[in-house]
Amino acid sequence: MLCLTKGASLRRAESARSALMRSEEISKMPGSSLGGVPPEAYNEIKQLLSISPTARQHVQNVQQSGFLSDVGAVSLQFLDQLMLKNRTQKISFFKELPNILPRLPIEVRKKRILIQLFECCKETDLVPFILPSIFHIGTDLETSDFQQYLFPGLKPLLAITDPPHVPLIIIQNLQLIVSKSTLEHSKGYVLPVMFKGLENPMVELQENCTKAYSRNC
């Protein structure tokens, strides 16, 4: 309802009687008229707005609706409960997350999911599985949002050298980082990753650092 009244409650927007009439009117509207409501939630919203008790869905039915069972919603719930999951479940989730992210609004990705992903990076052994999702989000961010929401959390990860797959993934996404970071950040945080990578015994990392250096320096 707040989508339809621009944030104001129905009782503030109209009289109590008008509010009830408006509610019943909305319940009979075609789904496409509910401009602020996701299409997959049309039926549930219309039934919830009915003034007839028999027409309204029970809360348990709403919780089991297709809208709330959407993979994006389920993923957000999983993130909220991540501390309760074992390592195998976490890794499986992080591997699949890049395929799910495009289904979520960019505001949710940058203001909620990024925060939770960086929090999960406290478990260093999980960072190689988390970084692809972080960079996936970064690809869709404006430069100003990248610097505000992503780079502060990325900075401590740039110092990680073990496991070596962490700097490898960072180097593979170097062009993205450099294109959306300030020159000061690039010199202070990104170049050291490249130089350390060249000294790493992992051949694949050395090769990627050499290619990245030739492209960006």
Side-chain angles (χ1 to χ4, degrees), residues 10-87:
L10 277 175
R11 290 184 182 277
R12 284 188 178 182
E14 306 174 84
S15 68
R17 181 180 178 184
S18 296
L20 288 173
M21 292 177 64
R22 174 67 174 154
S23 180
E24 179 64 11
E25 176 187 335
I26 293 173
S27 70
K28 296 178 180 178
M29 291 168 59
S32 57
S33 300
L34 305 178
V37 177
E40 57 269 28
Y42 285 163
N43 290 334
E44 285 81 2
I45 294 298
K46 288 169 64 177
Q47 290 176 9
L48 287 171
L49 291 174
S50 175
I51 62 174
S52 171
T54 57
R56 287 196 301 270
Q57 284 203 62
H58 189 276
V59 63
Q60 292 182 341
N61 293 332
V62 175
Q63 291 175 336
Q64 297 172 1
S65 68
F67 172 62
L68 292 181
S69 298
D70 174 76
V71 66
V74 171
S75 298
L76 292 176
Q77 292 173 4
F78 190 97
L79 270 174
D80 290 338
Q81 302 169 4
L82 201 61
M83 297 302 293
L84 304 176
K85 308 299 181 181
N86 60 44
R87 186 175 184 275

Side-chain angles (χ1 to χ4, degrees), residues 6 13 19 33 37 40-41 78-79 82 95 103 111 114 117 126 137 142 152 159 173 177 185-186 191 217:
K6 298 182 179 179
S33 300
V37 177
E40 57 269 28
F78 190 97
L79 270 174
L82 201 61
K95 285 183 176 180
R103 308 183 193 185
K111 292 183 178 179
L114 267 180
L117 291 180
L126 292 178
I137 295 173
E142 298 291 338
N173 290 274
I177 301 173
H185 284 161
S186 294
L191 279 178
C217 298

Side-chain angles (χ1 to χ4, degrees), residues 136-198:
H136 193 291
I137 295 173
T139 302
D140 293 329
L141 293 181
E142 298 291 338
T143 298
S144 58
D145 285 339
F146 186 95
Q147 295 173 8
Q148 179 181 353
Y149 295 102
L150 194 149
F151 198 82
L154 181 64
K155 283 193 291 187
L157 305 184
L158 297 177
I160 297 176
T161 56
D162 186 41
H165 283 87
V166 173
L168 175 61
I169 296 172
I170 290 171
I171 291 299
Q172 290 171 339
N173 290 274
L174 192 67
Q175 190 168 356
L176 168 66
I177 301 173
V178 171
S179 67
K180 297 191 177 185
S181 300
T182 64
L183 182 59
E184 179 183 357
H185 284 161
S186 294
K187 289 182 177 179
Y189 297 98
V190 180
L191 279 178
V193 177
M194 205 180 314
F195 294 142
K196 289 179 182 178
L198 289 171

